[in-house]
Amino acid sequence: MGSAATMHLGSWVQTYSVLNYAGRSITPSCFRNTLQFQKHNSLFSLTKPKRLDISSYPYNTCAISAVHLSKEEKLEVENEDNPIEVPFNFKTYMYQKGNSVNEALENSITVKEPIKIHEAMRYSLLAGGKRVRPVLCIAACELVGGDELTAMPSACAVEMIHTMSLIHDDLPCMDNDDLRRGKPTNHKVFGEDVAVLAGDALLAYAFEHIVNETRGVSSTRIVRVVGELAKVIGTEGLVAGQVVDMESGGLTEVGLEKLEFIHIHKTAALLEGSVVIGAILGGASDEEIEKLRKFARCIGLLFQVVDDILDVTKSSQELGKTAGKDLMTDKATYPKLIGIEKSREFAAKLNKDARDQLSEFDSVKAAPLICLADYIANRQN
């Protein structure tokens, strides 16, 4: 997969290079989103185990051709040349998967001595959130023949690591934020020292949880999962993105190439890892894993492009975190470099390329990932 590819954002922005990440690269292409989503507020919040409130969840259904349905569906198609369209209920899917993830997270860390550190870990881990990364992990596993139980320990692990990154990102020495998921940030509640340690503890426990709790998977695949996860959060992934992001703050000459490096490493890497890990656990072939890796790379960058847009178009109340923070700190963002409308066009291009990577998979099994890509493209917080 060698050298870096060239990304064309169209005639409205100059061609620039996609930086090679871990020896792999992709070339996004245009797409116009077909799903229509409604305006919504924040998703999934949790302090104690409880069912998710999905009354304002933003998406409707995805149409899936009946000719791909399993026998259990027992649907008759009167005209195979014009197959009926059967809706995939993404709202229900996310409700079910989100509850499963939240229950597993609740059970993964109990309050024990030292009390304070475990309370700090649980405070941020159970503070809510969309659970996009763990659901991606589960959906990828199911796509290639695995199941939710097999993927769940790793799904929880990626959420633990994501939570760690948020705790550390909010620290005064990093982004210095006071609000996360509509609540005071970890260091505001427990102090900076405990917040640092809570993040460290979640990072370490994530790997322990995978090794101790994964069932029915060969040791070879578990080792591969651990290696993949370590890579996407280290100096070839999240850490690299964070360092370059900090170094770029306030600079006037941060171009698209460097901005993409930051986003691919700081944000996209863990989303990519979530999907790839799920595929590995489900028994995917190397070819399937690479297709899903490219899919995840696109939606990972898409996630951050949308995040940049929301930062300048939504309020703190709508986002559940401080709005306009990128502008205040003079960070390079897609809206800053190419404008809001062209950022939206770029997001659509990434969504199209992501969906293209799933074209050779069973369309019914791929429906959750297709809809997740559309949700990321159209999310409002």
Side-chain angles (χ1 to χ4, degrees), residues 25 75 162 268 282 330 375:
S25 57
L75 293 175
H162 175 53
D330 201 26
Y375 163 66

Side-chain angles (χ1 to χ4, degrees), residues 23-268:
R24 301 177 293 272
S25 57
I26 57 174
T27 308
S29 57
C30 301
F31 175 61
R32 183 181 180 189
N33 200 314
T34 56
L35 286 185
Q36 300 297 319
F37 293 176
Q38 300 171 358
K39 186 177 180 181
H40 67 290
N41 296 315
S42 61
L43 305 176
F44 310 149
S45 62
L46 175 69
T47 52
K48 289 288 185 181
K50 64 180 181 180
R51 291 295 175 188
L52 304 176
D53 178 9
I54 59 169
S55 59
S56 60
Y57 214 46
Y59 30 72
N60 297 316
T61 56
C62 292
I64 306 299
S65 173
V67 297
H68 296 293
L69 291 174
S70 62
K71 292 180 181 179
E72 287 76 9
E73 297 290 342
K74 296 180 181 178
L75 293 175
E76 296 181 0
V77 182
E78 294 181 0
N79 185 347
E80 291 187 359
D81 293 328
N82 296 288
I84 62 173
E85 295 295 316
V86 178
F88 166 70
N89 195 322
F90 188 44
K91 187 181 212 179
T92 299
Y93 179 86
M94 288 298 288
Y95 174 77
Q96 293 171 343
K97 296 303 183 188
N99 277 325
S100 295
V101 169
N102 282 334
E103 289 172 7
L105 288 171
E106 167 67 29
N107 294 328
S108 66
I109 299 175
T110 58
V111 178
K112 55 187 177 182
E113 293 292 342
I115 300 295
K116 191 171 187 179
I117 189 64
H118 289 96
E119 287 181 338
M121 292 165 70
R122 286 171 58 85
Y123 174 80
S124 293
L125 186 63
L126 306 181
K130 304 169 188 68
R131 308 308 190 203
V132 169
R133 291 157 190 81
V135 174
L136 280 169
C137 181
I138 294 168
C141 184
E142 293 178 332
L143 172 62
V144 297
D147 57 44
E148 181 182 301
L149 289 177
T150 300
M152 188 59 77
S154 291
C156 289
V158 297
E159 190 66 13
M160 291 173 193
I161 290 172
H162 175 53
T163 300
M164 172 277 295
S165 73
L166 300 181
I167 293 173
H168 285 179
D169 203 42
D170 291 334
L171 289 168
C173 62
M174 297 286 190
D175 281 358
N176 191 24
D177 232 323
D178 298 339
L179 192 66
R180 174 68 68 177
R181 291 171 173 168
K183 300 175 65 175
T185 47
N186 197 288
H187 68 275
K188 286 294 180 180
V189 177
F190 296 95
E192 292 179 36
D193 49 0
V194 173
V196 170
L197 293 173
D200 293 344
L202 284 167
L203 175 60
Y205 187 65
F207 291 99
E208 179 184 344
H209 193 66
I210 291 172
V211 172
N212 288 344
E213 300 300 327
T214 305
R215 301 286 182 268
V217 179
S218 70
S219 58
T220 300
R221 287 190 178 269
I222 292 177
V223 168
R224 190 174 178 183
V225 164
V226 170
E228 181 74 29
L229 189 54
K231 192 171 189 176
V232 301
I233 61 176
T235 55
E236 293 188 41
L238 193 155
V239 170
Q242 181 68 41
V243 169
V244 177
D245 188 27
M246 291 189 300
E247 291 177 343
S248 301
L251 296 181
T252 58
E253 297 183 358
V254 177
L256 289 172
E257 194 169 305
K258 180 172 283 190
L259 179 61
E260 183 175 284
F261 180 94
I262 293 169
H263 286 346
I264 282 179
H265 290 74
K266 184 177 177 180
T267 301

